[in-house]
Short mmCIF file of all heavy atoms in Angstrom, two decimals:
data_model
loop_
_atom_site.label_atom_id
_atom_site.label_comp_id
_atom_site.label_asym_id
_atom_site.label_seq_id
_atom_site.Cartn_x
_atom_site.Cartn_y
_atom_site.Cartn_z
N MET A 1 31.32 -15.84 73.29
CA MET A 1 32.00 -15.78 72.01
C MET A 1 33.45 -15.34 72.29
O MET A 1 33.68 -14.24 72.74
CB MET A 1 31.26 -14.78 71.12
CG MET A 1 31.82 -14.66 69.75
SD MET A 1 30.68 -13.62 68.83
CE MET A 1 31.49 -13.62 67.29
N ALA A 2 34.39 -16.18 71.99
CA ALA A 2 35.78 -15.89 72.30
C ALA A 2 36.57 -15.76 70.98
O ALA A 2 36.89 -16.74 70.35
CB ALA A 2 36.37 -16.99 73.17
N GLY A 3 36.83 -14.53 70.57
CA GLY A 3 37.68 -14.33 69.40
C GLY A 3 36.96 -14.22 68.07
O GLY A 3 37.58 -13.83 67.11
N GLY A 4 35.68 -14.59 68.00
CA GLY A 4 34.95 -14.48 66.76
C GLY A 4 34.60 -13.02 66.46
O GLY A 4 34.48 -12.21 67.38
N LEU A 5 34.44 -12.69 65.20
CA LEU A 5 34.12 -11.34 64.82
C LEU A 5 32.60 -11.13 64.80
O LEU A 5 32.06 -10.23 65.46
CB LEU A 5 34.70 -10.99 63.44
CG LEU A 5 34.42 -9.60 62.90
CD1 LEU A 5 34.96 -8.54 63.83
CD2 LEU A 5 35.03 -9.44 61.52
N ILE A 6 31.90 -11.96 64.10
CA ILE A 6 30.43 -11.87 64.01
C ILE A 6 29.86 -13.28 64.06
O ILE A 6 30.40 -14.22 63.48
CB ILE A 6 30.00 -11.19 62.68
CG1 ILE A 6 30.43 -9.73 62.68
CG2 ILE A 6 28.49 -11.28 62.48
CD1 ILE A 6 30.11 -8.98 61.41
N SER A 7 28.77 -13.43 64.78
CA SER A 7 28.11 -14.74 64.90
C SER A 7 26.63 -14.56 64.69
O SER A 7 26.00 -13.63 65.18
CB SER A 7 28.37 -15.30 66.31
OG SER A 7 27.57 -16.44 66.51
N TYR A 8 26.07 -15.44 63.87
CA TYR A 8 24.63 -15.47 63.68
C TYR A 8 24.18 -16.92 63.80
O TYR A 8 24.60 -17.77 63.02
CB TYR A 8 24.25 -14.94 62.26
CG TYR A 8 22.75 -14.91 62.02
CD1 TYR A 8 21.98 -13.94 62.62
CD2 TYR A 8 22.13 -15.81 61.20
CE1 TYR A 8 20.62 -13.88 62.41
CE2 TYR A 8 20.78 -15.79 60.96
CZ TYR A 8 20.02 -14.84 61.58
OH TYR A 8 18.67 -14.79 61.34
N GLY A 9 23.46 -17.22 64.85
CA GLY A 9 23.07 -18.60 65.07
C GLY A 9 21.84 -18.73 65.95
O GLY A 9 21.22 -17.74 66.33
N VAL A 10 21.56 -19.94 66.28
CA VAL A 10 20.39 -20.27 67.08
C VAL A 10 20.52 -19.67 68.46
O VAL A 10 21.60 -19.65 69.07
CB VAL A 10 20.23 -21.79 67.19
CG1 VAL A 10 19.06 -22.15 68.07
CG2 VAL A 10 20.05 -22.40 65.81
N ASP A 11 19.43 -19.13 68.99
CA ASP A 11 19.38 -18.58 70.34
C ASP A 11 19.41 -19.75 71.29
O ASP A 11 18.42 -20.49 71.44
CB ASP A 11 18.11 -17.75 70.51
CG ASP A 11 18.01 -17.06 71.86
OD1 ASP A 11 19.04 -16.96 72.52
OD2 ASP A 11 16.89 -16.66 72.19
N SER A 12 20.53 -19.99 71.97
CA SER A 12 20.74 -21.16 72.81
C SER A 12 19.72 -21.31 73.95
O SER A 12 19.19 -22.42 74.13
CB SER A 12 22.14 -21.16 73.40
OG SER A 12 23.09 -21.30 72.38
N PRO A 13 19.40 -20.24 74.69
CA PRO A 13 18.39 -20.42 75.75
C PRO A 13 17.04 -20.88 75.20
O PRO A 13 16.38 -21.72 75.79
CB PRO A 13 18.29 -19.03 76.37
CG PRO A 13 19.63 -18.40 76.10
CD PRO A 13 20.02 -18.93 74.76
N ALA A 14 16.62 -20.38 74.05
CA ALA A 14 15.34 -20.79 73.46
C ALA A 14 15.42 -22.26 73.03
O ALA A 14 14.45 -23.02 73.20
CB ALA A 14 15.03 -19.91 72.25
N LEU A 15 16.56 -22.67 72.50
CA LEU A 15 16.73 -24.05 72.09
C LEU A 15 16.69 -24.99 73.29
O LEU A 15 16.07 -26.05 73.24
CB LEU A 15 18.05 -24.21 71.32
CG LEU A 15 18.33 -25.55 70.69
CD1 LEU A 15 17.29 -25.83 69.61
CD2 LEU A 15 19.71 -25.56 70.10
N LEU A 16 17.35 -24.59 74.37
CA LEU A 16 17.35 -25.43 75.57
C LEU A 16 15.97 -25.51 76.20
O LEU A 16 15.60 -26.56 76.75
CB LEU A 16 18.36 -24.87 76.59
CG LEU A 16 19.84 -25.01 76.16
CD1 LEU A 16 20.74 -24.32 77.15
CD2 LEU A 16 20.20 -26.50 76.01
N ARG A 17 15.18 -24.45 76.14
CA ARG A 17 13.80 -24.50 76.62
C ARG A 17 13.01 -25.54 75.82
O ARG A 17 12.24 -26.33 76.40
CB ARG A 17 13.13 -23.14 76.50
CG ARG A 17 13.37 -22.23 77.67
CD ARG A 17 12.49 -20.98 77.66
NE ARG A 17 12.73 -20.14 76.49
CZ ARG A 17 13.70 -19.25 76.41
NH1 ARG A 17 14.54 -19.08 77.41
NH2 ARG A 17 13.84 -18.52 75.33
N GLN A 18 13.19 -25.57 74.51
CA GLN A 18 12.50 -26.53 73.67
C GLN A 18 12.93 -27.94 73.99
O GLN A 18 12.09 -28.86 73.99
CB GLN A 18 12.74 -26.23 72.17
CG GLN A 18 11.84 -26.96 71.24
CD GLN A 18 10.37 -26.66 71.44
OE1 GLN A 18 9.98 -25.52 71.66
NE2 GLN A 18 9.55 -27.66 71.39
N VAL A 19 14.21 -28.16 74.29
CA VAL A 19 14.69 -29.49 74.68
C VAL A 19 13.99 -29.93 75.97
O VAL A 19 13.59 -31.07 76.09
CB VAL A 19 16.22 -29.46 74.86
CG1 VAL A 19 16.71 -30.76 75.56
CG2 VAL A 19 16.94 -29.32 73.53
N GLY A 20 13.84 -29.00 76.91
CA GLY A 20 13.16 -29.31 78.15
C GLY A 20 11.71 -29.70 77.93
O GLY A 20 11.21 -30.63 78.57
N ILE A 21 11.05 -28.99 77.04
CA ILE A 21 9.66 -29.30 76.72
C ILE A 21 9.54 -30.70 76.11
O ILE A 21 8.67 -31.49 76.50
CB ILE A 21 9.05 -28.24 75.76
CG1 ILE A 21 8.93 -26.91 76.49
CG2 ILE A 21 7.71 -28.70 75.22
CD1 ILE A 21 8.60 -25.71 75.60
N TYR A 22 10.44 -31.03 75.19
CA TYR A 22 10.45 -32.35 74.57
C TYR A 22 10.72 -33.43 75.62
O TYR A 22 10.07 -34.49 75.64
CB TYR A 22 11.45 -32.44 73.45
CG TYR A 22 10.90 -32.08 72.10
CD1 TYR A 22 10.28 -30.87 71.87
CD2 TYR A 22 11.02 -32.96 71.03
CE1 TYR A 22 9.76 -30.56 70.63
CE2 TYR A 22 10.51 -32.65 69.78
CZ TYR A 22 9.89 -31.45 69.61
OH TYR A 22 9.38 -31.13 68.37
N ALA A 23 11.69 -33.20 76.50
CA ALA A 23 12.02 -34.19 77.52
C ALA A 23 10.81 -34.40 78.43
O ALA A 23 10.51 -35.56 78.80
CB ALA A 23 13.23 -33.74 78.33
N GLY A 24 10.13 -33.35 78.80
CA GLY A 24 8.96 -33.46 79.62
C GLY A 24 7.84 -34.29 78.97
O GLY A 24 7.20 -35.12 79.63
N ARG A 25 7.66 -34.04 77.67
CA ARG A 25 6.64 -34.80 76.96
C ARG A 25 6.99 -36.30 76.89
O ARG A 25 6.11 -37.17 77.05
CB ARG A 25 6.47 -34.25 75.56
CG ARG A 25 5.79 -32.89 75.58
CD ARG A 25 5.72 -32.24 74.21
NE ARG A 25 4.79 -32.97 73.35
CZ ARG A 25 4.47 -32.58 72.11
NH1 ARG A 25 5.03 -31.47 71.59
NH2 ARG A 25 3.64 -33.27 71.38
N ILE A 26 8.27 -36.61 76.73
CA ILE A 26 8.70 -38.00 76.68
C ILE A 26 8.52 -38.64 78.05
O ILE A 26 8.04 -39.78 78.17
CB ILE A 26 10.16 -38.11 76.18
CG1 ILE A 26 10.22 -37.70 74.71
CG2 ILE A 26 10.72 -39.50 76.38
CD1 ILE A 26 11.63 -37.48 74.17
N LEU A 27 8.89 -37.91 79.10
CA LEU A 27 8.76 -38.46 80.46
C LEU A 27 7.29 -38.68 80.85
O LEU A 27 6.98 -39.50 81.69
CB LEU A 27 9.42 -37.55 81.47
CG LEU A 27 10.97 -37.50 81.39
CD1 LEU A 27 11.52 -36.44 82.31
CD2 LEU A 27 11.55 -38.87 81.73
N LYS A 28 6.39 -37.94 80.21
CA LYS A 28 4.95 -38.11 80.48
C LYS A 28 4.37 -39.22 79.66
O LYS A 28 3.16 -39.49 79.76
CB LYS A 28 4.22 -36.80 80.20
CG LYS A 28 4.48 -35.73 81.23
CD LYS A 28 3.74 -34.46 80.91
CE LYS A 28 4.08 -33.39 81.94
NZ LYS A 28 3.43 -32.10 81.59
N GLY A 29 5.18 -39.90 78.81
CA GLY A 29 4.70 -41.07 78.10
C GLY A 29 4.58 -40.97 76.59
O GLY A 29 4.26 -41.97 75.94
N GLU A 30 4.82 -39.81 76.02
CA GLU A 30 4.74 -39.71 74.57
C GLU A 30 5.95 -40.40 73.94
O GLU A 30 7.05 -40.41 74.48
CB GLU A 30 4.70 -38.25 74.10
CG GLU A 30 3.39 -37.55 74.41
CD GLU A 30 3.31 -36.19 73.75
OE1 GLU A 30 3.47 -36.12 72.53
OE2 GLU A 30 3.11 -35.22 74.50
N ARG A 31 5.70 -41.02 72.80
CA ARG A 31 6.80 -41.68 72.08
C ARG A 31 7.60 -40.64 71.34
O ARG A 31 7.04 -39.78 70.66
CB ARG A 31 6.23 -42.71 71.13
CG ARG A 31 5.57 -43.88 71.83
CD ARG A 31 5.06 -44.94 70.91
NE ARG A 31 5.87 -45.07 69.72
CZ ARG A 31 5.41 -45.44 68.54
NH1 ARG A 31 4.14 -45.74 68.39
NH2 ARG A 31 6.19 -45.52 67.50
N PRO A 32 8.93 -40.71 71.41
CA PRO A 32 9.77 -39.72 70.68
C PRO A 32 9.48 -39.67 69.21
O PRO A 32 9.53 -38.62 68.59
CB PRO A 32 11.19 -40.21 70.95
CG PRO A 32 11.10 -40.97 72.23
CD PRO A 32 9.75 -41.60 72.23
N GLY A 33 9.14 -40.80 68.61
CA GLY A 33 8.83 -40.82 67.20
C GLY A 33 7.56 -40.11 66.83
O GLY A 33 7.36 -39.73 65.66
N ASP A 34 6.69 -39.88 67.79
CA ASP A 34 5.42 -39.21 67.54
C ASP A 34 5.55 -37.67 67.71
O ASP A 34 4.63 -36.96 67.36
CB ASP A 34 4.35 -39.72 68.50
CG ASP A 34 3.98 -41.15 68.24
OD1 ASP A 34 4.24 -41.62 67.10
OD2 ASP A 34 3.44 -41.81 69.14
N LEU A 35 6.66 -37.20 68.25
CA LEU A 35 6.83 -35.77 68.45
C LEU A 35 7.18 -35.07 67.13
O LEU A 35 7.93 -35.65 66.32
CB LEU A 35 7.93 -35.50 69.48
CG LEU A 35 7.64 -35.99 70.91
CD1 LEU A 35 8.87 -35.77 71.80
CD2 LEU A 35 6.46 -35.29 71.48
N PRO A 36 6.68 -33.90 66.90
CA PRO A 36 6.96 -33.22 65.66
C PRO A 36 8.41 -32.69 65.62
O PRO A 36 8.98 -32.35 66.64
CB PRO A 36 5.98 -32.02 65.64
CG PRO A 36 5.72 -31.76 67.09
CD PRO A 36 5.80 -33.12 67.77
N VAL A 37 8.95 -32.70 64.43
CA VAL A 37 10.28 -32.11 64.24
C VAL A 37 10.09 -30.60 64.10
O VAL A 37 9.27 -30.16 63.31
CB VAL A 37 10.97 -32.69 62.99
CG1 VAL A 37 12.31 -31.98 62.74
CG2 VAL A 37 11.15 -34.17 63.16
N GLN A 38 10.83 -29.84 64.87
CA GLN A 38 10.72 -28.39 64.83
C GLN A 38 12.07 -27.75 64.53
O GLN A 38 13.08 -28.24 65.00
CB GLN A 38 10.17 -27.84 66.15
CG GLN A 38 8.77 -28.27 66.46
CD GLN A 38 8.25 -27.69 67.74
OE1 GLN A 38 8.98 -27.15 68.53
NE2 GLN A 38 6.96 -27.78 67.93
N GLN A 39 12.05 -26.71 63.77
CA GLN A 39 13.25 -25.94 63.50
C GLN A 39 13.30 -24.72 64.42
O GLN A 39 12.24 -24.20 64.84
CB GLN A 39 13.28 -25.47 62.04
CG GLN A 39 13.45 -26.63 61.06
CD GLN A 39 13.59 -26.12 59.64
OE1 GLN A 39 13.49 -24.93 59.39
NE2 GLN A 39 13.79 -27.02 58.73
N PRO A 40 14.48 -24.23 64.73
CA PRO A 40 14.58 -23.02 65.56
C PRO A 40 13.87 -21.85 64.90
O PRO A 40 13.87 -21.71 63.65
CB PRO A 40 16.08 -22.76 65.62
CG PRO A 40 16.74 -24.02 65.23
CD PRO A 40 15.78 -24.74 64.34
N THR A 41 13.29 -21.02 65.71
CA THR A 41 12.60 -19.84 65.16
C THR A 41 13.22 -18.54 65.64
O THR A 41 12.91 -17.47 65.11
CB THR A 41 11.11 -19.83 65.58
OG1 THR A 41 11.04 -19.90 67.02
CG2 THR A 41 10.37 -21.03 64.97
N THR A 42 14.09 -18.62 66.65
CA THR A 42 14.73 -17.40 67.12
C THR A 42 16.26 -17.56 66.94
O THR A 42 16.83 -18.62 67.21
CB THR A 42 14.43 -17.13 68.59
OG1 THR A 42 14.79 -18.26 69.39
CG2 THR A 42 12.98 -16.79 68.79
N PHE A 43 16.87 -16.48 66.45
CA PHE A 43 18.29 -16.49 66.17
C PHE A 43 18.91 -15.29 66.88
O PHE A 43 18.25 -14.32 67.22
CB PHE A 43 18.55 -16.42 64.69
CG PHE A 43 18.07 -17.64 63.95
CD1 PHE A 43 16.74 -17.72 63.50
CD2 PHE A 43 18.92 -18.69 63.74
CE1 PHE A 43 16.29 -18.85 62.85
CE2 PHE A 43 18.47 -19.84 63.08
CZ PHE A 43 17.16 -19.92 62.63
N GLN A 44 20.22 -15.37 67.09
CA GLN A 44 20.93 -14.31 67.79
C GLN A 44 22.06 -13.81 66.90
O GLN A 44 22.82 -14.62 66.36
CB GLN A 44 21.44 -14.81 69.12
CG GLN A 44 22.02 -13.75 70.00
CD GLN A 44 22.40 -14.32 71.36
OE1 GLN A 44 22.77 -15.48 71.49
NE2 GLN A 44 22.31 -13.49 72.37
N PHE A 45 22.23 -12.50 66.80
CA PHE A 45 23.27 -11.87 66.00
C PHE A 45 24.20 -11.15 66.96
O PHE A 45 23.79 -10.23 67.69
CB PHE A 45 22.64 -10.90 64.99
CG PHE A 45 23.64 -10.17 64.14
CD1 PHE A 45 24.63 -10.87 63.41
CD2 PHE A 45 23.57 -8.81 63.99
CE1 PHE A 45 25.50 -10.19 62.62
CE2 PHE A 45 24.47 -8.13 63.17
CZ PHE A 45 25.46 -8.84 62.50
N VAL A 46 25.46 -11.57 67.01
CA VAL A 46 26.43 -11.00 67.97
C VAL A 46 27.61 -10.42 67.21
O VAL A 46 28.12 -11.06 66.27
CB VAL A 46 26.94 -12.09 68.94
CG1 VAL A 46 27.95 -11.52 69.92
CG2 VAL A 46 25.79 -12.74 69.69
N VAL A 47 28.03 -9.23 67.60
CA VAL A 47 29.21 -8.57 67.00
C VAL A 47 30.24 -8.37 68.10
O VAL A 47 29.92 -7.86 69.17
CB VAL A 47 28.83 -7.20 66.37
CG1 VAL A 47 30.06 -6.51 65.83
CG2 VAL A 47 27.78 -7.40 65.26
N ASN A 48 31.49 -8.77 67.81
CA ASN A 48 32.54 -8.65 68.79
C ASN A 48 33.44 -7.47 68.38
O ASN A 48 34.29 -7.61 67.48
CB ASN A 48 33.36 -9.93 68.87
CG ASN A 48 34.33 -9.98 70.01
OD1 ASN A 48 34.78 -8.93 70.47
ND2 ASN A 48 34.64 -11.19 70.47
N LEU A 49 33.24 -6.32 69.01
CA LEU A 49 34.03 -5.11 68.69
C LEU A 49 35.48 -5.25 69.14
O LEU A 49 36.37 -4.66 68.53
CB LEU A 49 33.41 -3.87 69.31
CG LEU A 49 32.13 -3.41 68.64
CD1 LEU A 49 31.58 -2.18 69.37
CD2 LEU A 49 32.34 -3.07 67.19
N LYS A 50 35.70 -6.01 70.17
CA LYS A 50 37.05 -6.24 70.66
C LYS A 50 37.90 -6.91 69.59
O LYS A 50 39.04 -6.51 69.31
CB LYS A 50 37.00 -7.05 71.95
CG LYS A 50 38.34 -7.26 72.61
CD LYS A 50 38.14 -8.04 73.90
CE LYS A 50 39.49 -8.31 74.58
NZ LYS A 50 39.32 -9.06 75.81
N THR A 51 37.33 -7.93 68.95
CA THR A 51 38.04 -8.62 67.88
C THR A 51 38.20 -7.72 66.65
O THR A 51 39.26 -7.69 66.02
CB THR A 51 37.31 -9.92 67.50
OG1 THR A 51 37.26 -10.75 68.61
CG2 THR A 51 38.02 -10.65 66.37
N ALA A 52 37.16 -6.96 66.34
CA ALA A 52 37.24 -6.03 65.22
C ALA A 52 38.38 -5.03 65.41
O ALA A 52 39.12 -4.74 64.47
CB ALA A 52 35.92 -5.31 65.01
N LYS A 53 38.50 -4.53 66.60
CA LYS A 53 39.53 -3.55 66.91
C LYS A 53 40.90 -4.19 66.77
O LYS A 53 41.84 -3.61 66.23
CB LYS A 53 39.35 -2.99 68.32
CG LYS A 53 40.35 -1.96 68.73
CD LYS A 53 40.09 -1.40 70.11
CE LYS A 53 41.15 -0.39 70.49
NZ LYS A 53 40.93 0.10 71.86
N ALA A 54 41.05 -5.44 67.26
CA ALA A 54 42.33 -6.16 67.15
C ALA A 54 42.73 -6.39 65.70
O ALA A 54 43.91 -6.43 65.38
CB ALA A 54 42.23 -7.50 67.93
N LEU A 55 41.72 -6.57 64.84
CA LEU A 55 42.01 -6.78 63.42
C LEU A 55 42.10 -5.46 62.63
O LEU A 55 42.37 -5.45 61.42
CB LEU A 55 40.89 -7.64 62.80
CG LEU A 55 40.81 -9.10 63.31
CD1 LEU A 55 39.56 -9.75 62.78
CD2 LEU A 55 42.02 -9.86 62.94
N GLY A 56 41.83 -4.33 63.30
CA GLY A 56 41.89 -3.05 62.64
C GLY A 56 40.69 -2.77 61.75
O GLY A 56 40.79 -2.03 60.79
N LEU A 57 39.57 -3.37 62.08
CA LEU A 57 38.34 -3.21 61.28
C LEU A 57 37.36 -2.26 61.97
O LEU A 57 37.31 -2.17 63.19
CB LEU A 57 37.65 -4.57 61.10
CG LEU A 57 38.44 -5.65 60.39
CD1 LEU A 57 37.70 -6.99 60.47
CD2 LEU A 57 38.74 -5.28 58.98
N THR A 58 36.59 -1.56 61.14
CA THR A 58 35.50 -0.73 61.67
C THR A 58 34.18 -1.34 61.31
O THR A 58 33.93 -1.63 60.13
CB THR A 58 35.61 0.68 61.04
OG1 THR A 58 36.89 1.23 61.34
CG2 THR A 58 34.54 1.60 61.59
N VAL A 59 33.34 -1.54 62.28
CA VAL A 59 32.04 -2.13 62.04
C VAL A 59 31.03 -1.00 61.87
O VAL A 59 30.93 -0.10 62.71
CB VAL A 59 31.60 -3.05 63.23
CG1 VAL A 59 30.22 -3.62 62.99
CG2 VAL A 59 32.64 -4.14 63.49
N PRO A 60 30.33 -0.99 60.73
CA PRO A 60 29.37 0.10 60.47
C PRO A 60 28.28 0.17 61.52
O PRO A 60 27.85 -0.87 62.06
CB PRO A 60 28.77 -0.28 59.10
CG PRO A 60 29.69 -1.28 58.51
CD PRO A 60 30.38 -1.93 59.64
N PRO A 61 27.82 1.38 61.83
CA PRO A 61 26.76 1.54 62.82
C PRO A 61 25.48 0.80 62.48
O PRO A 61 24.76 0.34 63.36
CB PRO A 61 26.50 3.05 62.83
CG PRO A 61 27.76 3.66 62.30
CD PRO A 61 28.33 2.66 61.35
N SER A 62 25.19 0.62 61.16
CA SER A 62 23.97 -0.10 60.79
C SER A 62 24.05 -1.56 61.21
O SER A 62 23.03 -2.18 61.57
CB SER A 62 23.76 0.00 59.26
OG SER A 62 24.87 -0.56 58.58
N ILE A 63 25.25 -2.17 61.22
CA ILE A 63 25.42 -3.54 61.66
C ILE A 63 25.26 -3.58 63.19
O ILE A 63 24.59 -4.48 63.73
CB ILE A 63 26.81 -4.08 61.26
CG1 ILE A 63 26.94 -4.13 59.74
CG2 ILE A 63 27.07 -5.44 61.87
CD1 ILE A 63 26.08 -5.12 59.03
N LEU A 64 25.86 -2.62 63.88
CA LEU A 64 25.76 -2.59 65.32
C LEU A 64 24.31 -2.41 65.79
O LEU A 64 23.89 -2.96 66.81
CB LEU A 64 26.63 -1.49 65.90
CG LEU A 64 28.14 -1.64 65.70
CD1 LEU A 64 28.89 -0.43 66.19
CD2 LEU A 64 28.64 -2.93 66.35
N ALA A 65 23.53 -1.63 65.04
CA ALA A 65 22.14 -1.39 65.40
C ALA A 65 21.30 -2.65 65.30
O ALA A 65 20.32 -2.82 66.01
CB ALA A 65 21.56 -0.30 64.52
N ARG A 66 21.67 -3.54 64.38
CA ARG A 66 20.92 -4.80 64.19
C ARG A 66 21.32 -5.91 65.14
O ARG A 66 20.62 -6.89 65.25
CB ARG A 66 21.09 -5.27 62.74
CG ARG A 66 20.45 -4.35 61.75
CD ARG A 66 20.64 -4.84 60.36
NE ARG A 66 20.05 -3.87 59.44
CZ ARG A 66 20.30 -3.85 58.16
NH1 ARG A 66 21.17 -4.68 57.63
NH2 ARG A 66 19.76 -2.93 57.41
N ALA A 67 22.47 -5.76 65.77
CA ALA A 67 23.00 -6.82 66.64
C ALA A 67 22.16 -6.99 67.91
O ALA A 67 21.70 -6.02 68.49
CB ALA A 67 24.44 -6.52 67.02
N ASP A 68 21.94 -8.26 68.29
CA ASP A 68 21.28 -8.55 69.56
C ASP A 68 22.21 -8.30 70.71
O ASP A 68 21.80 -7.96 71.82
CB ASP A 68 20.80 -9.99 69.57
CG ASP A 68 19.74 -10.28 68.52
OD1 ASP A 68 18.77 -9.52 68.49
OD2 ASP A 68 19.92 -11.22 67.73
N GLU A 69 23.51 -8.52 70.46
CA GLU A 69 24.53 -8.32 71.49
C GLU A 69 25.79 -7.78 70.88
O GLU A 69 26.19 -8.19 69.77
CB GLU A 69 24.83 -9.65 72.21
CG GLU A 69 25.83 -9.54 73.31
CD GLU A 69 26.13 -10.91 73.96
OE1 GLU A 69 25.42 -11.88 73.69
OE2 GLU A 69 27.08 -10.95 74.72
N VAL A 70 26.42 -6.81 71.55
CA VAL A 70 27.71 -6.25 71.08
C VAL A 70 28.70 -6.43 72.20
O VAL A 70 28.49 -5.96 73.30
CB VAL A 70 27.56 -4.73 70.72
CG1 VAL A 70 28.93 -4.17 70.33
CG2 VAL A 70 26.56 -4.54 69.60
N ILE A 71 29.78 -7.15 71.89
CA ILE A 71 30.83 -7.37 72.87
C ILE A 71 31.87 -6.29 72.70
O ILE A 71 32.41 -6.11 71.63
CB ILE A 71 31.45 -8.77 72.68
CG1 ILE A 71 30.39 -9.86 72.87
CG2 ILE A 71 32.63 -8.99 73.64
CD1 ILE A 71 30.82 -11.24 72.48
N GLU A 72 32.15 -5.57 73.77
CA GLU A 72 33.12 -4.49 73.67
C GLU A 72 34.38 -4.78 74.38
O GLU A 72 34.50 -5.44 75.33
CB GLU A 72 32.49 -3.21 74.24
CG GLU A 72 31.30 -2.78 73.39
CD GLU A 72 30.79 -1.41 73.75
OE1 GLU A 72 31.61 -0.52 73.92
OE2 GLU A 72 29.57 -1.28 73.86
#
């Protein structure tokens, strides 16, 4: 995360694992149209304190406690 203050989005490693599973199933002969559509189930919440400091903002401790990652 470069310059963003707060990010809430899909957990990329989990998404890439799911892509690998789908690719494996297709390579084993399953038709892509037969595979179920799945939505992400894991998300990541990141707070960038470096950007907050540059903007002169204070991030409440309750937000920091909920963050999966805090960039300092």
Side-chain angles (χ1 to χ4, degrees):
M1 184 173 180
L5 179 60
I6 293 177
S7 171
Y8 182 74
V10 177
D11 183 19
S12 295
L15 187 63
L16 291 174
R17 275 190 297 277
Q18 191 62 40
V19 168
I21 292 169
Y22 268 55
R25 290 174 69 177
I26 291 168
L27 291 173
K28 288 180 182 176
E30 288 190 56
R31 292 183 31 211
D34 293 340
L35 295 175
V37 175
Q38 295 182 345
Q39 292 185 356
T41 56
T42 56
F43 295 87
Q44 188 174 31
F45 180 51
V46 179
V47 177
N48 190 333
L49 287 179
K50 185 176 178 181
T51 300
K53 182 179 178 182
L55 294 172
L57 301 173
T58 302
V59 179
S62 61
I63 297 292
L64 295 175
R66 293 179 182 163
D68 295 309
E69 181 181 350
V70 177
I71 299 171
E72 296 190 44

